[in-house]
Amino acid sequence: MSNQPYRTALVTGASSGIGAAIVRRLSEAGIEVHAVARDAKRLAQLAEETGCIAHALSVSDQAGIEALVKSVEIDVLINNAGQSRTGNITRTTVEDIDALVDVNLRAVLQLTRLVLPGMIARDRGHVVNISSIAGHYAFAGGNTVYHATKAGVHSLSQQLRCDLFGKHIRVTEVSPARVETEVFGRLIGDMAEAKKRFFDEYESLLPEDIANSVAFAVLAPQRMNVSFMEVLPTMQVVGGLNFAKKTAEAV
Ligand SMILES: NC(=O)c1ccc[n+]([C@@H]2O[C@H](COP(=O)([O-])OP(=O)(O)OC[C@H]3O[C@@H](n4cnc5c(N)ncnc54)[C@H](OP(=O)(O)O)[C@@H]3O)[C@@H](O)[C@H]2O)c1
């Protein structure tokens, strides 16, 4: 019999990729999982497969999120929902900035704010934030708003531990590099082209690699807080320095 104390989890961005893999992994571990995303059909399929409880909802729907948090006692909150965009800041629209800040950062803060009082009262809980190496490093081709929101997730994860000092509530940040999901297909609006361009010739991480990393942290003994995990494909490195020649054309 498992001696892990968590009975329930809420996973955002659960309809595909990393989120769906986390739902599968935590369900296998015997945790009742509440799965949040906008795509009701895919959530229903996941519910049939795993027994998770589907909540077709945008993380930006404040009233919906508040009603959900009121209705369930949440032991583990997995802030995973995320969006990205292409192009540098000069080609980013007003709507792009709002969407990325709303989903990647604002929703993480709002959900955490709503879920923590219950965890504090029970002196039991775990917040897992899926950030990105984009929040820790600058690299050419990245979208500045995406990088900024993920850096925000890193910062809030750090500060949250100070807010929770003296409580049995753990905060884990998992920072993945390239994972084979739909994120790039959504980005360029063409799943087949994204597979060709970003995955076919590379040995990327798979969603279950991140789900297993999350499970390692969640199922670890209560005395142990895995505070930060950076997970890269073996064949991917972060590094490089760009230096434009005097003769180079301006961006
Ligand atoms: N794949 C990578 O290489 C990589 C690397 C580093 C970090 N990450 C991060 O990992 C997380 C998961 O992404 P993924 O790679 O698994 O991509 P994905 O397959 O595109 O999944 C993104 C998930 O977020 C959900 N989502 C988007 N907007 C939402 C909203 N307003 N409300 C609720 N859910 C919303 C989507 O579901 P609906 O469309 O059904 O709402 C989907 O389930 C993201 O935070 C991403 O930034 C990914």
Side-chain angles (χ1 to χ4, degrees):
M1 196 178 132
S2 162
N3 61 0
Q4 69 86 14
Y6 302 140
R7 290 186 298 106
T8 58
L10 190 157
V11 180
T12 69
S15 63
S16 69
I18 295 169
I22 294 171
V23 171
R24 290 189 182 96
R25 184 66 187 82
L26 295 187
S27 299
E28 272 168 29
I31 294 173
E32 175 186 284
V33 184
H34 293 262
V36 172
R38 293 164 303 173
D39 190 326
K41 210 167 148 197
R42 293 179 79 166
L43 282 185
Q45 282 163 359
L46 190 65
E48 204 169 314
E49 175 197 332
T50 64
C52 75
I53 299 152
H55 303 273
L57 192 64
S58 168
V59 288
S60 305
D61 174 353
Q62 187 64 23
I65 288 292
E66 282 182 21
L68 169 58
V69 172
K70 259 196 206 132
S71 70
V72 278
E73 203 171 84
I74 296 157
D75 291 329
V76 184
L77 169 63
I78 316 267
N79 286 306
N80 164 76
Q83 295 187 13
S84 191
R85 296 290 185 276
T86 51
N88 78 19
I89 190 85
T90 61
R91 290 189 289 274
T92 307
T93 65
V94 171
E95 293 76 21
D96 288 336
I97 293 178
D98 285 348
L100 293 195
V101 172
D102 277 350
V103 175
N104 297 1
L105 186 57
R106 202 190 314 277
V108 176
L109 288 163
Q110 294 289 9
L111 254 172
T112 304
R113 178 184 73 86
L114 290 168
V115 165
L116 277 182
M119 290 184 178
I120 291 168
R122 295 187 293 278
D123 194 28
R124 178 181 80 237
H126 199 153
V127 178
V128 179
N129 294 326
I130 308 299
S131 61
S132 165
I133 56 164
H136 296 266
Y137 308 98
F139 40 83
N143 177 275
T144 299
V145 187
Y146 183 75
H147 279 243
T149 57
K150 292 298 185 176
V153 172
H154 168 63
S155 175
L156 76 87
S157 305
Q158 297 282 98
Q159 187 58 24
L160 209 49
R161 287 186 210 99
C162 299
D163 287 351
L164 295 168
F165 176 66
K167 291 282 168 195
H168 291 97
I169 301 171
R170 306 185 288 189
V171 180
T172 297
E173 176 191 352
V174 179
S175 176
R178 189 178 297 180
V179 187
E180 192 164 339
T181 68
E182 293 177 20
V183 72
F184 296 102
R186 292 179 200 257
L187 205 55
I188 63 171
D190 184 339
M191 290 293 167
E193 174 60 23
K195 183 174 175 304
K196 217 175 345 161
R197 211 191 292 173
F198 297 100
F199 298 127
D200 280 354
E201 292 185 88
Y202 302 97
E203 198 175 52
S204 305
L205 295 169
L206 296 178
E208 51 265 39
D209 298 326
I210 303 303
N212 285 331
S213 305
V214 168
F216 175 75
V218 168
L219 303 176
Q222 286 295 295
R223 62 181 176 275
M224 168 178 164
N225 183 25
V226 180
S227 60
F228 177 66
M229 294 171 98
E230 182 180 86
V231 190
L232 285 92
T234 305
M235 300 306 281
Q236 185 176 34
V237 297
V238 186
L241 190 61
N242 294 325
F243 201 157
K245 289 183 181 163
K246 286 177 185 167
T247 52
E249 293 202 0
V251 183

